Amino acid sequence: MDTPQYALVLLMLGTLLSLSILADFIAGRTAIPRISLLVLIGVGVAVVQQWVLGQSAGVLEGLSEPLIQLALVMVAFLLGGEFTWDRLRTLGPVVAVFSFSVVLVSGLVVGAGLWLLGFPLILAVTLGAIAVATDPAAVTETIHEQRVAHTRTGRLLLSTVAVDDGWGIVVFGLAMAFLGWHGSGEGAQAVLTALWELGGAVVLGVIVGVPAAWLTGRLAAGEPTRVEAIALILLLAGGAALLHVSELLAAMVAGAMVANLASHHTRSFSEIEYLKWPFLVFFFVLAGASLDLGNLQVAVGITLAYIALRLLGRLLGGWFGSTLVNARRGALPRGLGMALTPQAGVAMGMALLAGERFPEFASTLMAAVVVSTVAFEAVGPWLVRMTVARADSSDNDNKQDGDITRD
């Protein structure tokens, strides 16, 4: 990279971080979600690059992929930290049944629906897996804002979103393995490759996570722990790329290892939580900037179909899950799945990873997921408020609720 290119890259990175501060300012004074603003900044970059400068899609060539990978590994590692034995025992079978029902039904509705509408199998299966993911921050903030976190419904939704993206990562890994096997046509070799992608990710997560758990308990908080956290993320991202395994699953397994085995596991998670936002800024902006604006017209149909089918899948998944729970305890309204509509970073990360594997569908996938993410982030909090308000009145009518996480 020559000096002008080097200077331009540094200026671009500084500009993106500066614009994120402006996005924070606007989001704090309006009802527009911060994530949507960052994605729209990226779309603005795409407009300037493709329509004004006449260049091809993509920005920060050579740097965008590692920045995105690091952001995704951080998010997945933090998600893995939610899967402690104590927490899983506390969640109870009701949360497991409800969350699995929403995941299964919404994924099947989107995947089967798109396939029946005539879209390619790769797009249908990939978007079916992506549909499973939820934005836990948007749901959690809205529930606390409505002051219903103590109700039966509030506790169920908070517990569900805590593990929902974990389900999503597993489903996405299975979907990618299936598509690799289906498209290969090499029989046993394709099966072994698919198994390695998932099993190898688990092995990598254990190999990195167990020593990290041992080390975390022996370091004082501060600079050494920060260095350990950065080393952990780099090892996971680089190892997954080198071994061709799922980086999301590997990072989630490593996070679970540290959370369950380390005596001071919160230190690493706190450091990564502290470090992740600048990387997420690059991630959301670069995701928006990766849009191929010339392909938007082609992607309109699948984008609208994906939005409609995901809303239907959430509605039916919530209805099915509530029916199963009501058979056990009762008192849950049927439309709870609509409170799980917000979708953000994990979904876009899945789309980017799938686009790398299936480049012929990359532009269509990114268009569908970026546009739908902005839509879901915009209407999602309103759907959460509407759902919990209806559920809150149901809770008030039924006083036998008990603790949903221990049923």
Side-chain angles (χ1 to χ4, degrees):
M1 187 179 293
D2 56 30
T3 302
Q5 284 181 299
Y6 175 74
L8 186 61
V9 166
L10 292 180
L11 286 171
M12 177 67 77
L13 292 174
T15 300
L16 294 182
L17 288 177
S18 300
L19 289 174
S20 75
I21 299 172
L22 177 62
D24 276 336
F25 177 82
I26 296 173
R29 287 157 178 77
T30 66
I32 305 174
R34 179 171 59 173
I35 290 173
S36 296
L37 287 171
L38 292 174
V39 174
L40 291 174
I41 288 172
V43 174
V45 171
V47 170
V48 172
Q49 184 181 21
Q50 297 174 44
W51 288 354
V52 178
L53 301 179
Q55 298 176 357
S56 59
V59 68
L60 293 178
E61 294 294 340
L63 271 180
S64 60
E65 186 172 343
L67 288 172
I68 288 170
Q69 295 286 344
L70 289 173
L72 288 175
V73 169
M74 287 182 179
V75 171
F77 181 82
L78 293 172
L79 281 174
E82 301 290 339
F83 289 86
T84 63
W85 291 118
D86 290 340
R87 185 181 186 95
L88 292 176
R89 281 196 299 268
T90 302
L91 291 180
V94 168
V95 175
V97 168
F98 180 78
S99 62
F100 184 71
S101 299
V102 174
V103 165
L104 180 65
V105 174
S106 58
L108 286 175
V109 167
V110 173
L114 291 174
W115 183 66
L116 291 173
L117 287 173
F119 293 104
L121 181 66
I122 290 175
L123 287 176
V125 172
T126 302
L127 288 173
I130 291 172
V132 170
T134 306
D135 178 10
V139 177
T140 301
E141 288 173 9
T142 307
I143 288 174
H144 285 292
E145 172 193 298
Q146 297 298 108
R147 299 180 180 177
V148 294
H150 64 284
T151 65
R152 176 180 169 88
T153 299
R155 289 193 299 271
L156 175 63
L157 290 174
L158 289 174
S159 299
T160 299
V161 296
V163 298
D164 197 55
D165 279 345
W167 281 118
I169 288 173
V170 173
V171 170
F172 181 75
L174 292 172
M176 292 299 99
F178 166 76
L179 289 175
W181 167 79
H182 183 271
S184 173
E186 296 179 2
Q189 182 60 40
V191 173
L192 290 175
T193 301
L195 291 175
W196 168 246
E197 182 174 346
L198 299 177
V202 174
V203 172
L204 176 63
V206 172
I207 290 174
V208 175
V210 171
W214 179 85
L215 187 62
T216 296
R218 286 156 179 80
L219 290 179
E223 295 297 334
T225 311
R226 192 164 300 137
V227 172
E228 179 213 358
I230 296 173
L232 185 63
I233 295 304
L234 292 174
L235 287 171
L236 287 167
L242 182 65
L243 299 174
H244 300 290
V245 299
S246 170
E247 54 269 85
L248 293 178
L249 186 56
M252 193 172 75
V253 171
M257 291 293 103
V258 173
N260 284 285
L261 301 178
S263 56
H264 297 286
H265 72 269
T266 56
R267 291 176 181 171
S268 294
F269 291 98
S270 297
E271 294 298 338
I272 292 173
E273 187 75 45
Y274 177 77
L275 292 168
K276 76 171 183 177
W277 181 245
F279 290 94
L280 287 179
V281 168
F282 295 134
F283 169 74
F284 287 121
V285 174
L286 291 172
S290 67
L291 273 181
D292 183 355
L293 300 177
N295 192 54
L296 284 181
Q297 186 174 359
V298 177
V300 168
I302 194 168
T303 302
L304 294 176
Y306 172 70
I307 292 174
L309 287 169
R310 186 169 183 268
L311 289 172
L312 177 62
R314 287 310 201 196
L315 179 64
L316 294 178
W319 178 87
F320 184 62
S322 297
T323 300
L324 294 178
V325 171
N326 288 346
R328 176 187 174 88
R329 276 295 299 258
L332 284 179
R334 307 287 183 177
L336 280 185
M338 299 304 288
L340 302 173
T341 300
Q343 189 171 50
V346 172
M348 283 195 288
M350 292 175 180
L352 287 165
L353 295 177
E356 291 175 7
R357 174 170 298 203
F358 306 108
E360 67 274 23
F361 296 111
S363 58
T364 303
L365 278 171
M366 285 310 302
V369 174
V370 167
V371 173
S372 64
T373 292
V374 173
F376 288 136
E377 283 291 289
V379 304
W382 175 76
L383 289 173
V384 176
R385 283 191 287 270
M386 181 183 69
T387 303
V388 297
R390 184 184 302 124
D392 188 37
S393 63
S394 173
D395 283 346
N396 291 332
D397 293 337
N398 191 330
K399 301 299 183 183
Q400 60 164 359
D401 67 342
D403 189 345
I404 191 83
T405 62
R406 296 184 182 177
D407 286 351

